[in-house]
């Protein structure tokens, strides 16, 4: 089995021929905008967001435009789109808002970038250590601090253009397709027994129906005014060119 891919990578993954149809009932899936696929089964979802330290930043950006054109002294830590799904998410977020002018946006934003990390953990660690007042993360990240740490200083900025959606998925490989445990585990992943654990362990939204209500802390989180997402096939066709565009803009 494989789990942890997101829908920005599923088209390319499917093209490898390494995955088998799951053959399970996925009617319990409740992803925003809907989701149906015969190979990949969603198990959680979330929205990318710029998280800020409210003790250090009293006026956060209210749009991607404000982030791009804001004070370069207010630094942000971001992730590399070549090695990180959040990094790729930010790349696609900027592309979905700026389109053909994405390169210009990156050229402006780079002055605010403290550093580009290989993954989310490194970026968020620098943020919580106080190295920068902003970090690319998720709208759900503040829930961790509220619930696990009882700290309310970390908040997600609500962007007027909307937020980019990430859906994480699982699948069985061709070699595992003959093993009934693979399908059974995928079915289990969509059940309340598994989904109830998602919000306060993976700090994302459950992809299917649950028996437990979400902690009230989740009610305080940013609710995107618009969901942004590219079809997986579009990402596969353009990912290399868009990353090259990002590299060129960030190296100017």
């Amino acid at each position: 089995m494989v789990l942890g891919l997101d829908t920005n990578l599923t088209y390319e993954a499917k093209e490898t021929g390494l995955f088998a149809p799951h053959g399970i009932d996925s009617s319990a899936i409740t992803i925003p905008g809907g989701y149906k696929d015969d190979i990949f089964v969603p198990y959680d979802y979330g929205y990318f967001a710029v998280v800020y330290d409210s003790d250090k930043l009293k006026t956060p950006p209210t749009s991607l435009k404000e982030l791009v054109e804001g004070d370069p002294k207010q630094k942000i830590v971001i992730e590399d789109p070549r090695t990180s799904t959040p990094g790729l998410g930010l790349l696609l977020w900027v592309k979905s808002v700026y389109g053909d002018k994405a390169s210009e946006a990156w050229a402006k934003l780079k002055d605010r970038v403290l550093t580009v990390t290989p993954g989310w953990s490194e970026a968020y660690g620098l943020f919580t250590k106080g190295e920068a007042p902003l970090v690319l993360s998720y709208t759900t990240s503040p829930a961790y601090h509220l619930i696990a740490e009882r700290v309310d200083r970390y908040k997600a900025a609500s962007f007027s253009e909307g937020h980019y959606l990430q859906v994480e998925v699982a699948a069985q490989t061709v070699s595992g397709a003959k093993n009934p445990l693979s399908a059974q585990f995928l079915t289990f992943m969509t059940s309340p027994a598994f989904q109830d654990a998602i919000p306060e362990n993976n700090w994302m939204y459950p992809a299917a129906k649950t028996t437990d209500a979400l902690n009230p802390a989740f009610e305080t989180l940013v609710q995107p005014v618009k969901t942004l997402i590219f079809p997986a096939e579009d990402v596969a066709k353009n990912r290399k060119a868009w990353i090259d565009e990002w590299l060129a803009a960030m190296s100017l």
Side-chain angles (χ1 to χ4, degrees):
M1 286 192 59
V2 172
L3 69 156
L5 294 176
D6 69 14
T7 49
N8 293 319
L9 302 173
T10 51
Y11 185 86
E12 290 174 88
K14 190 180 295 187
E15 290 294 292
T16 66
L18 295 175
F19 300 98
H22 53 71
I24 70 169
D25 179 9
S26 57
S27 59
I29 301 298
T30 55
I31 298 295
Y35 187 88
K36 189 174 183 180
D37 190 277
D38 64 344
I39 300 290
F40 297 99
V41 178
Y43 61 90
D44 69 20
Y45 72 92
Y47 296 92
F48 294 114
V50 171
V51 174
Y52 66 99
D53 183 345
S54 64
D55 283 357
K56 295 185 174 182
L57 189 63
K58 300 303 181 184
T59 308
T62 60
S63 66
L64 199 57
K65 185 177 186 293
E66 283 190 10
L67 177 70
V68 167
E69 300 179 2
D71 185 353
K73 293 180 182 179
Q74 296 174 346
K75 298 297 185 182
I76 183 171
V77 183
I78 65 172
E79 299 87 348
D80 194 320
R82 297 168 295 178
T83 56
S84 162
T85 54
L88 179 59
L90 178 59
L91 181 85
L92 299 175
W93 192 0
V94 171
K95 195 68 181 180
S96 65
V97 172
Y98 281 91
D100 293 340
K101 295 185 178 180
S103 180
E104 298 173 24
W106 283 116
K108 292 179 181 179
L109 181 60
K110 71 171 185 175
D111 291 336
R112 296 194 72 172
V113 175
L114 176 69
T115 190
V116 179
T117 65
W120 177 88
S121 296
E122 298 93 334
Y124 210 77
L126 289 172
F127 168 69
T128 54
K129 288 177 182 177
E131 296 295 325
L134 299 159
V135 67
L136 187 281
S137 193
Y138 297 87
T139 61
T140 47
S141 295
Y144 166 77
H145 300 287
L146 287 168
I147 297 169
E149 300 178 340
R150 299 186 182 279
V151 171
D152 66 356
R153 65 187 284 187
Y154 303 114
K155 304 178 186 297
S158 179
F159 279 8
S160 59
E161 303 99 339
H163 292 249
Y164 200 91
L165 177 68
Q166 181 183 48
V167 180
E168 294 188 298
V169 297
Q172 61 179 347
T173 62
V174 172
S175 60
K178 297 178 182 179
N179 184 347
L181 290 178
S182 297
Q184 289 177 29
F185 189 76
L186 287 173
T187 299
F188 168 66
M189 290 182 71
T190 65
S191 72
F194 187 98
Q195 291 291 303
D196 283 344
I198 290 293
E200 295 182 38
N201 287 278
N202 213 34
W203 303 101
M204 297 280 271
Y205 289 108
K209 298 174 182 178
T210 61
T211 53
D212 293 342
L214 290 177
N215 187 294
F218 280 83
E219 297 177 6
T220 70
L221 303 179
V222 165
Q223 299 299 318
V225 296
K226 182 180 180 181
T227 296
L228 304 173
I229 189 168
F230 281 112
E233 185 173 0
D234 289 357
V235 177
K237 288 180 178 178
N238 295 288
R239 184 160 66 102
K240 183 180 184 303
W242 291 346
I243 288 176
D244 288 345
E245 179 183 64
W246 174 81
L247 285 169
M250 295 292 284
S251 62
L252 289 175

